[in-house]
Amino acid sequence: GPITSWQIEAEEVEANRDGRGNLCRWHYCSERLNEARERSRLQEMLFLLGLETYQTQKLSLQDALQISSDSMKNWAPQTPKDLPWNFLRKLQALNAEARNTTMVLDLPLDTRPVEKESQMEEEIIYWDTAEDISADIYSFSELPTPDTPVNPLDLLCALLLSSDSFLQQEIVSKMSLCQFALPLILPDPENHYHTFLLWAMRGTVRTWGSQPPRVVGSFREDSMVLSRAPAFAFVRMEVSSNSKSQLLNDVLSPSHRQQDCFWHRDLNLGTNPREIADGLVEISWFLPSGREDLDIFPEPMAFLNLRGDIGSHWLQFKLLTEISSAIFILTDNISKKEYKLLSSMKGSATKYYFILSPYRGKRNTNLRFLNRLIPVLKMDHSHVLVKVSSTDSVGFVRRVRAIVAHVTRSPCRRVSVEDMANAARKLGLKVDEDCEECQRAKDRMERITRKIKDLDAYRRDELRLQGELWRKAAQVEKELCQIQWASDPPEKYRAELRHRLLELRMQQNDHDPSWGVQEFISGISSPSLGEKQYFLKWMEWGLARVTQPRPRPSPEMIFTLRPKHCGAVDFSEPFWPEPLGVEHFLREMGQFYEAESCLVEAGKLPAGQRRFAHFPGLALELLLKGLPLELIDGNTLSPPLRWVTGLLKELHVRLERRSRLVVLSALGMPGTGKSTLLNTMFGLRFVTGRGRGPRGAFMQLIKVAESFSQDLGCDHILVIDSGGLIAGVRTEAGERFEREASLATLIMGLSNVTVVSLAETRNIPPAILHAFLRLEKTGHMPNYQFVYQNLHDVSALGSKPRERRQLLDQPSDVGRATVQMEKQGDGIQTLADLAFWDPEKQHIWHIPGLWHGVPPMAAVNLAYSEAIFELKRCLLENIRNGLSNQNKNIQQLIELVRRL
């Protein structure tokens, strides 16, 4: 019969037109198919997915994260070329359905299927001759249709092959959060030059418990690349009636909930034939929670899955035999060829288990070869399992788990991903981390971190400008700022403060950057953009490794987005000292720039003698590549004004005509999930987890696609995360409360849109309410969205945003105290009483919990991802419709920073 309308519309490009102005779609698609036939299978897949252009210039993380019109649409892919972008968008939002490759038709009326009686007319329109039909109709079926979409593993492999190292790493990190199995060996079906993805795995960090639970040190957070665990591989030999991926999922799933870490043939779309993913090796971990009633195994374990037959992927299988504690081989038949291959494994320390379906295979042949293999592979009859359709699945899974547990109780090898990579190198596999740029960056990082023996001593000796000098200078600048607004400022006192500040800045300027800071500056000054990015990543991990061991908080603190208890929490003191990070080196650079700028302004240093004027430009490069930069110093709770202004001036020069900005901020106490929310919405890199990261406020820049910037009304979005600044201290806490309220006012005053993240319905942090009252006086009121995460009030779970407005209408003691401090009168006790409060512009949202189940093996809650998307869509819609404050350019933002 005639081809379908969907096939005709599969390529979204402009076709030639015939003499009557109609599209000659069939001729155009036929020509494209002829070109595709000449390509390799890999090239055909890349061509089909629209990724062929990214083989020379790889897809970058910035490409994947930029805001476009699609960012506001909850759309389903309609053609294969939509699939990579749909996958990236859903993965960024931690959507559990990211791997779904279903395509939905949305065709013009004139191209939809017609009734039977008009088929002849359709043939006349699309085909000129019968020869065209016989030549091309069958090859057209090679393209995916709505009934045979792209296999999700093919999509993943094609996307990874088209991405640079940093986007690959982001993809793997997000897949880990979604509890998807991770790609470990990426096949190249064209050159058979497979790649071990060590670098892509570097960013995977997980937390798990040990038994007995809730004792000091019972919770561990570590990189999965460095942590050692027993590894168990599941492979297929020729044909197997049993799905090894389904079996793996059953082994990893708790009794009350199925967990689909590995995509398999029994899932929707899982039966589609793989085109380029054979030879892919995936890895997933079981991680205990520390609860005996929930944990399947008492310790972490790695599970590996080889896609395809071991006979066709012998190199990957050979690697698995060298890194695994045990290998489970699923097969219906053992042929002579496979018997010879397995016989070559003689002497291996790996244990081998066979899972057979004898009624489907050659039973006698299997038994004969198995009896020969028993002495060679040091097996016994307990190493042969039989699973047929009548086998009790639950009992069979229990038996496999018992074998795994037995192996781990006896002496067995424990390997890390780094150990696996070393074994892969010896077998001749390519390791992505072995490129020169990456290794040079790693060497520089190691030279720096090797000097760090004691953190306190290192801060004192190497980061000298951040100590007492900076704290005193920050206090003097605060006093100077305060007296300039006094009605009758004492000139003598002002002169004294300026003199004191100048002395402190001169003392700072007398220092030279330490050796470690100079090495850091050299690393971010590299002419190679790739080496610069590698260096920053290595520094993050290297500094995390040398940080002294820290006490672990409770499981609730590790795994949830907010504290478990319902009462007010005092976050005024962190759980442990602030860890050393990249931001401290950048903060040191900022202080050198601040001190030098202060002396130039005072005429104490000629501008031509400046040594650090280029520092803002170096830091800006990092901001443009996605690194969060510090806006407010977390130690002194002060904004380094000259440094921030210098950064913004450099940004203005760099962006030139595309300098229209919208500022979006998130405020709230630590533990309310605001950083996780921003990261999930926009793919950002703010540190998450209360007490784990720096205390300051940080900013990141998001690019708006040029095709969408006119519609949205801005070229970039500057996102500010308040971090740990708003600790929720009471109004009677004096200076600390005043400082928090001032900083909240600063951040909100800079913003066009503010998301206020709240943990409890009746307790808005007093510093934030204080900022509302201050900003109301200025008339500068951004668009606000109030977000409640993990509410304990079950009655609120199903309510819509505007129906939950009454949650903010209830006065609290904190609200009354704050209002009295601002002398606003007794009539104002809640946000709803304020003049700026407009229920049509302000929304109240409930964001469900991130996890569905008990971490670390909990799946991501699909409702969380969907709620985050709706919030993101609302924020962008408000920006586009002008409900936020007037968008500003960078020059206006610089002036606003200075005034506030």
Side-chain angles (χ1 to χ4, degrees), residues 55-332:
Q55 298 316 294
T56 51
Q57 184 69 32
K58 298 292 187 182
L59 190 64
S60 72
L61 183 57
Q62 283 68 40
D63 294 330
L65 298 184
Q66 71 175 353
I67 302 292
S68 67
S69 57
D70 290 336
S71 303
M72 299 177 64
K73 300 174 185 174
N74 192 9
W75 59 279
Q78 298 173 19
T79 71
K81 287 193 293 186
D82 295 333
L83 292 175
W85 304 102
N86 180 69
F87 175 79
L88 289 172
R89 191 175 295 109
K90 287 192 172 181
L91 194 64
Q92 172 190 310
L94 303 181
N95 191 311
E97 297 181 348
R99 296 178 295 187
N100 192 327
T101 56
T102 302
M103 289 175 281
V104 177
L105 304 186
D106 184 16
L107 302 179
L109 290 173
D110 61 342
T111 59
R112 292 177 182 170
V114 294
E115 297 297 327
K116 216 170 191 181
E117 55 266 26
S118 61
Q119 284 182 357
M120 184 61 68
E121 181 182 350
E122 289 292 312
E123 291 173 14
I124 294 172
I125 293 174
Y126 294 116
W127 302 323
D128 288 345
T129 65
E131 285 75 18
D132 287 327
I133 302 173
S134 61
D136 293 322
I137 185 64
Y138 296 106
S139 58
F140 213 167
S141 64
E142 296 173 6
L143 283 174
T145 69
D147 297 323
T148 58
V150 175
N151 186 286
L153 296 175
D154 287 339
L155 172 62
L156 175 63
C157 289
L159 190 54
L160 290 172
L161 289 167
S162 305
S163 304
D164 68 16
S165 299
F166 307 99
L167 180 54
Q168 285 182 350
Q169 195 174 88
E170 181 71 8
I171 289 172
V172 170
S173 296
K174 293 291 188 180
M175 289 181 69
S176 174
L177 287 173
C178 291
Q179 299 289 12
F180 297 161
L182 309 182
L184 186 68
I185 297 177
L186 182 64
D188 183 345
E190 194 168 64
N191 304 313
H192 301 285
Y193 199 45
H194 312 306
T195 303
F196 190 97
L197 299 178
L198 177 60
W199 172 260
M201 300 281 290
R202 281 279 176 195
T204 305
V205 177
R206 301 290 296 274
T207 305
W208 63 92
S210 60
Q211 297 174 0
R214 290 174 170 77
V215 299
V216 175
S218 63
F219 286 86
R220 179 181 175 186
E221 181 182 87
D222 203 358
S223 164
M224 301 312 296
V225 166
L226 303 175
S227 179
R228 286 188 166 89
F232 297 87
F234 285 67
V235 301
R236 172 171 60 82
M237 189 165 66
E238 287 197 338
V239 177
S240 173
S241 304
N242 297 306
S243 167
K244 66 182 185 316
S245 301
Q246 172 68 70
L247 177 59
L248 274 165
N249 289 339
D250 291 341
V251 169
L252 290 170
S253 297
S255 57
H256 60 281
R257 177 175 47 83
Q258 179 66 26
Q259 188 151 308
D260 294 314
C261 297
F262 295 91
W263 193 266
H264 60 88
R265 64 194 183 192
D266 294 328
L267 289 172
N268 181 32
L269 311 179
T271 56
N272 305 324
R274 293 188 297 270
E275 296 293 334
I276 63 173
D278 277 350
L280 172 70
V281 176
E282 299 167 285
I283 187 171
S284 188
W285 286 270
F286 171 82
L287 299 172
S289 66
R291 293 177 53 178
E292 291 185 40
D293 57 328
L294 294 176
D295 291 340
I296 299 169
F297 305 108
E299 63 174 306
M301 296 184 189
F303 292 86
L304 300 116
N305 184 12
L306 170 61
R307 301 288 182 167
D309 169 42
I310 62 173
S312 304
H313 307 286
W314 187 248
L315 185 62
Q316 288 94 317
F317 179 65
K318 175 67 175 170
L319 174 63
L320 294 179
T321 64
E322 296 192 7
I323 63 177
S324 301
S325 298
I327 294 181
F328 292 82
I329 302 173
L330 284 75
T331 186
D332 291 349

Side-chain angles (χ1 to χ4, degrees), residues 784-804:
Y784 290 96
Q785 306 294 323
F786 294 91
V787 175
Y788 288 94
Q789 301 206 43
N790 296 329
L791 283 172
H792 292 277
D793 182 8
V794 179
S795 65
L797 296 181
S799 54
K800 297 178 181 179
R802 289 180 184 171
E803 291 173 352
R804 301 187 58 252

Side-chain angles (χ1 to χ4, degrees), residues 632 665-670 674-675 678 686 694-698 720-726 743-744 747 755 768:
I632 298 174
S665 62
L667 285 91
M669 293 191 300
K674 62 186 178 307
S675 302
L678 290 175
F686 294 120
R695 305 170 198 161
F698 285 77
I720 301 174
D721 180 13
S722 66
L725 291 179
I726 312 301
L743 295 175
I747 294 172
V755 175
I768 294 178

